[in-house]
Amino acid sequence: MAWPNIFQRGTLFSRFSHHHVVVFLLTFFSYSLLHASRKTFSNVKVSISKQWTPSAFNKSINLPVEIWSSNHLFPSAEEATLFLGTLDTIFLFSYAVGLFISGIVGDRLNLRWVLSFGMCSSALVVFVFGTVTEWLHFYNKGLYCCLWIVNGLLQSTGWPCVVAVMGNWFGKAGRGVVFGLWSACASVGNILGACLASSVLQYGYEYAFLVTAAVQFAGGIIIFFGLLVSPEEIGLPGIEAEENFEEDSHRPLINDAENEDEYEPNYSIQEGSTITQVKAISFYQACCLPGVIPYSLAYACLKLVNYSFFFWLPFYLSNNFGWKEAEADKLSIWYDVGGIIGGTLQGFISDVLQKRAPVLALSLLLAVGSLVGYSRSPNDKSINALLMAVTGFFIGGPSNMISSAISADLGRQELIQGSSEALATVTGIVDGTGSIGAAVGQYLVSLIQDNLGWIWVFYFFILMTSCTILFISPLIVRETCYLMQRRQAHVLSE
């Protein structure tokens, strides 16, 4: 038995047409634009806080005190900041609920329509939230909360749709490395949002929202007219048809069979020349698919840690080391860099092994050590950046894998007979559960930090990382045993 090779029958990238490249780029930048608008809100919080407080706390404008006394939202900047944090939590919870709904909708409607609608509608909500309200000088807490709930629901259409489209175009062979590169879209969106906001922030925070919303709306229009949801739309063979000709790549990476040697690989959605039309599976059926619940619970713990770094890392650097806010923002990029490299490299290794769980397990075990090391980082920016990149490699990498490549694997396992009508639903379940964990985590991190200090926050991260391993431990054991058996069989055959 030969060791699996993802490059058999030609190199991995030689099998991709220009359509694959266009789909990769369109889905990549569509989700980057959605993330850019979230990052814009984070980048202008200081300006918003000043605008919502009285002139006694606001030196950036020249308005009489009596005007602010009757129109301001909050008596102090501290209360304004607290409300901004509340908006973050509201957004994450509505985003999580929306993911469960958007996945189901995406499997029943045209993915291009759903994604384009979500991008354009979210852009309009962001425009009203940050630009129109400021132009009209209309400040209302209830309105802000309602708009941000709607924005969370609309933004949730993004991830299930783009993962489903990518899953339609890219098969299991090479999916890990392709999705590893592609999952950098969130990090690129963060950088893009920061650049767009900083370029116009001098004119007022409302223009940061205006520019981001305009770019996102334009992206939604391009998606509507340019995105191909599947190869079948232009007469190309689908992923299932291509994989039926592969000798090893059709063995699923997610398999619940107790004895994998008894698994019959020659499944197909075709009988003769007739293609069986498979309806979209229900939410309950998607939850019952092998691996969906374990990976969803694991991702809830891991996304909690990953998003805590996203929301709190610049604040931690400024608060703990006394570094300037601008320097802390720039330094925090190294966490994203580590995550991009980690997701790509770990995805490639999992493609070679044709198993994901063992790669995740090793990375998460090393993540525990990296968290211990980073929590004890000295007051040195170079060392801190290095430890931060290593931590991003071992935490951000697995997070990217679960949310993209593994979600696509789960939505295309043999029990669905290769149907693509489960991809968005499964992705919504996994990412939705993860977002609930992330939303809860933001409150817990602030609570632990206020009462016990930052070192206990890192202990909490270590606990959540360990829980991630625990939830997928049955999959780790089964897939590791399979790899050992396959290796033994290979040695005996020689």
Side-chain angles (χ1 to χ4, degrees), residues 33-54:
L33 293 178
L34 289 170
H35 237 266
S37 66
R38 303 179 205 174
K39 187 64 174 177
T40 298
F41 178 66
S42 299
N43 288 344
V44 300
K45 281 182 177 178
V46 174
S47 298
I48 294 178
S49 177
K50 291 180 179 180
Q51 195 73 357
W52 286 352
T53 52

Side-chain angles (χ1 to χ4, degrees), residues 50 53-60 74-78:
K50 291 180 179 180
T53 52
S55 57
F57 298 93
N58 187 347
K59 306 302 182 183
S60 61
F74 304 98
S76 67
E78 289 76 14

Side-chain angles (χ1 to χ4, degrees), residues 167-172 175 230-232 236-246 249-250 265 267-270 275 278 408 411-413 416-423:
N168 289 341
W169 281 91
F170 296 90
K172 285 186 282 290
R175 180 178 287 158
S230 66
E232 290 88 346
L236 295 177
I239 293 300
E240 293 85 3
E242 290 184 356
E243 290 179 347
N244 283 338
F245 293 100
E246 299 292 338
S249 65
H250 59 273
Y267 65 86
S268 175
I269 63 172
Q270 299 182 0
I275 299 178
V278 184
R412 280 191 174 277
Q413 48 190 305
I416 321 170
Q417 297 181 334
S419 170
S420 64
E421 305 306 317
L423 271 171

